[in-house]
């Protein structure tokens, strides 16, 4: 029988035009995404979790490292890595997504890390809750924000700074912020923030500061570059914009069948094809529905329980695949009724693109 080969007509591109600039490709080589086949796992295996690092990955000696609690506190102190490990231990499974995920599909957009779909992953994060440590440090009544500073330093738009972010006291009281030293039961790897980072569950990843060195109590708003100049929704560059916080509702599908090396389009055999993927939303909101677009009809998928309030939900559906070319999509809705748009919601930075994934699948008749 003649072998069905839908990819013969896609020759390997010699020059790539449009979306990616050379320096963006360089960024993409440093910051890997989760391969979509890894959606199969409840917990993303270490090494398949995405990475986003603005500057250089620091090499920190954990035995000499300390975290300082400073600023407007009645009882400022420092803790070593070992002292933090002696604190009450908590493990949470949390889905983390980069706010830039999907940026490559937004047009026009700022130069930045050109993510398509893979800047997401779920890990078991182990550490100690932050709130009791702040209580011990005794915040002065004037305190309104807490800043978190990483040891990594570099330039963005000509401005030299350490990577640092802040949360307001109200946000800290609502969010289960964890001071983390383990990921999937092993000590944090250098690229994920070793020896200590925070995890801010339910928010886009920029809040989860890696290589944490200082926690400062502030009586005025924090004005660090990563807080004020970026990670804001803007319709034009001149705007101050709205800060980016919780993740938007989103779903992805594990690509079925086998891929073509260069186009990533898929081939499956006609018949019943089990489709699966994951869906998540921000702020601990539950996923109430996932629908799959099968041959121009939205069909509701089956949902599994998620491992925790903050980790993604597995969905699955059997698809009766008929020969020919198909474009598969999935769409999640969360408990507040928020759902995914057909097209990206425009933003200059290409942030928080939760528009519907499109997957090209060819079905052979044998
Ligand atoms: N110190 C520091 N923390 C950081 C970053 C960084 O560049 N430096 N990147 C942030 C961004 S944008 C994301 S999406 C997450 C990525 O975490 P991961 O690389 O462990 O997946 O870390 C956040 N914390
Ligand atoms: Mo990010």
């Amino acid at each position: 029988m003649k072998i069905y080969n839908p990819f013969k007509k896609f020759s390997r591109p010699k020059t790539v035009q449009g979306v990616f600039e050379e320096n963006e490709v360089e960024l993409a080589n440093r910051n890997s995404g989760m391969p979509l086949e890894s959606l199969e796992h409840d917990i993303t295996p270490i090494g398949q979790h995405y990475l986003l690092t603005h500057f250089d990955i620091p090499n920190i000696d954990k035995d000499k490292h300390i975290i300082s609690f400073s600023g407007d506190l009645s009882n400022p102190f420092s803790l070593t890595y070992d002292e933090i490990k002696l604190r009450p231990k908590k493990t949470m499974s949390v889905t983390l997504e980069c706010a830039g995920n999907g940026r490559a599909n937004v047009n026009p957009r700022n130069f930045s890390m050109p993510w398509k779909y893979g800047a997401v992953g779920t890990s078991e994060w182990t550490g100690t809750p932050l709130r009791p440590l702040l209580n011990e440090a005794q915040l002065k009544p004037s305190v309104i924000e807490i800043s978190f500073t990483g040891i990594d330093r570099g330039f963005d738009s000509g401005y030299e700074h350490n990577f640092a972010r802040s949360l307001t006291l109200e946000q800290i009281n609502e969010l289960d912020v964890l001071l983390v030293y383990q990921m999937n039961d092993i000590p944090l790897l250098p690229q994920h923030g070793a020896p200590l980072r925070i995890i801010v569950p339910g928010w886009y990843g920029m809040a989860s500061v890696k290589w944490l060195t200082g926690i400062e109590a502030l009586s005025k708003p924090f004005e660090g570059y990563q807080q004020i100049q970026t990670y804001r929704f803007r319709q034009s560059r001149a705007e101050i914009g709205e800060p980016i916080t919780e993740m938007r509702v989103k779903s992805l599908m594990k690509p079925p069948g086998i891929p073509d090396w260069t186009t990533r389009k898929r081939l499956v055999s006609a018949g019943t094809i089990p489709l699966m993927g994951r869906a998540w939303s921000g702020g601990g909101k539950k996923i109430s529905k996932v629908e799959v677009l099968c041959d121009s009809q939205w069909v509701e998928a089956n949902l599994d329980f998620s491992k925790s309030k903050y980790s993604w939900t597995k969905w699955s559906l059997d698809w009766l695949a008929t020969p020919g070319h198909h474009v598969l999509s999935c769409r999640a809705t969360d408990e507040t009724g928020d759902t995914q748009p057909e097209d990206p919601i425009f933003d200059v930075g290409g942030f928080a693109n939760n528009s519907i994934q499109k997957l090209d699948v060819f079905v052979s008749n044998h």
Side-chain angles (χ1 to χ4, degrees):
M1 194 194 292
K2 210 169 151 253
I3 301 286
Y4 176 57
N5 181 355
F7 305 117
K8 235 180 179 158
K9 61 179 185 286
F10 301 112
S11 66
R12 204 164 162 153
K14 286 192 184 64
T15 53
V16 181
Q17 284 177 349
V19 268
F20 299 160
E21 290 197 17
E22 191 182 337
N23 288 338
E24 287 184 319
V25 174
E26 204 62 38
L27 291 186
N29 286 329
R30 292 182 53 83
N31 296 287
S32 51
M34 180 190 74
L36 290 187
E37 58 272 30
S38 192
L39 288 166
E40 179 104 25
H41 303 280
D42 285 338
I43 300 297
T44 311
I46 287 202
Q48 288 184 44
H49 193 280
Y50 83 93
L51 285 172
L52 195 295
T53 298
H54 290 75
F55 308 132
D56 290 351
I57 299 170
N59 180 13
I60 302 174
D61 180 350
K62 70 172 169 37
D63 297 325
K64 294 195 184 119
H65 191 62
I66 52 163
I67 303 275
S68 64
F69 287 74
S70 66
D72 297 331
L73 301 169
S74 300
N75 181 34
F77 57 83
S78 299
L79 291 173
T80 64
Y81 176 79
D82 287 336
E83 283 167 339
I84 288 171
K85 285 193 76 179
L86 289 173
R87 308 281 309 186
K89 194 170 172 173
K90 186 176 172 183
T91 299
M92 287 167 86
S93 86
V94 175
T95 297
L96 208 63
E97 184 187 11
C98 179
N101 200 16
R103 176 181 287 123
N105 300 329
V106 177
N107 229 333
R109 57 172 179 80
N110 271 359
F111 167 97
S112 192
M113 175 64 200
W115 293 117
K116 292 278 262 191
Y117 297 111
V120 63
T122 300
S123 302
E124 301 262 30
W125 302 101
T126 301
T128 193
L130 173 75
R131 187 67 244 202
L133 288 167
L134 293 178
N135 293 347
E136 268 173 54
Q138 296 172 31
L139 307 178
K140 293 196 173 151
S142 57
V143 170
I144 54 167
E145 289 193 13
I146 308 292
S147 71
F148 303 89
T149 303
I151 228 167
D152 50 327
R153 189 171 180 83
F155 286 88
D156 193 344
S157 307
Y159 182 82
E160 186 180 340
H161 61 287
N162 281 54
F163 187 93
R165 294 274 312 177
S166 72
L167 293 167
T168 65
L169 266 198
E170 290 92 83
Q171 287 163 348
I172 298 247
N173 290 336
E174 266 173 36
L175 298 162
D176 299 318
V177 181
L178 205 58
L179 207 55
V180 165
Y181 45 81
Q182 274 178 16
M183 183 180 182
N184 298 0
D185 284 332
I186 66 159
L188 279 181
L189 294 176
Q191 59 270 39
H192 286 295
L196 284 160
R197 74 179 300 173
I198 53 166
I199 287 292
V200 181
W203 278 40
Y204 282 111
M206 72 280 153
S208 294
V209 176
K210 304 194 275 191
W211 311 296
L212 188 68
T213 170
I215 295 178
E216 193 179 357
L218 304 170
S219 299
K220 56 181 178 42
F222 179 65
E223 289 182 342
Y225 183 92
Q226 301 290 336
Q227 192 77 21
I228 301 297
Q229 303 297 123
T230 182
Y231 295 114
R232 301 179 85 95
F233 290 118
R234 293 181 169 118
Q235 295 303 299
S236 78
R237 268 161 228 258
E239 276 176 35
I240 292 169
E242 280 301 308
I244 296 173
T245 60
E246 290 179 0
M247 296 182 289
R248 286 180 176 156
V249 63
K250 193 159 173 177
S251 62
L252 289 174
M253 185 184 300
K254 179 192 165 206
I258 56 168
D260 171 50
W261 158 232
T262 57
T263 63
R264 306 314 296 175
K265 293 173 197 273
R266 320 290 303 181
L267 178 66
V268 302
S269 300
T272 302
I273 304 294
L275 300 176
M276 70 80 57
R278 304 277 165 178
W280 64 95
S281 187
K285 293 187 285 271
K286 279 203 187 73
I287 293 299
S288 55
K289 185 168 70 172
V290 173
E291 299 153 288
V292 180
L293 187 60
C294 299
D295 306 308
S296 67
Q297 222 190 327
W298 288 101
V299 182
E300 215 169 309
N302 309 306
L303 300 184
D304 276 7
F305 289 110
S306 63
K307 276 199 95 157
S308 89
K309 188 176 160 188
Y310 294 113
S311 71
W312 55 20
T313 297
K314 181 179 175 181
W315 63 262
S316 56
L317 184 73
D318 282 344
W319 172 47
L320 192 60
T322 53
H325 172 227
H326 301 258
V327 180
L328 298 182
S329 283
C330 52
R331 174 173 75 188
T333 304
D334 71 18
E335 60 181 332
T336 68
D338 279 348
T339 190
Q340 299 180 244
E342 186 69 35
D343 298 312
I345 300 165
F346 180 75
D347 161 71
V348 188
F351 285 121
N353 177 7
N354 67 337
S355 63
I356 296 166
Q357 176 192 14
K358 291 185 176 65
L359 253 169
D360 276 293
V361 178
F362 293 92
V363 182
S364 70
N365 56 6
H366 55 84

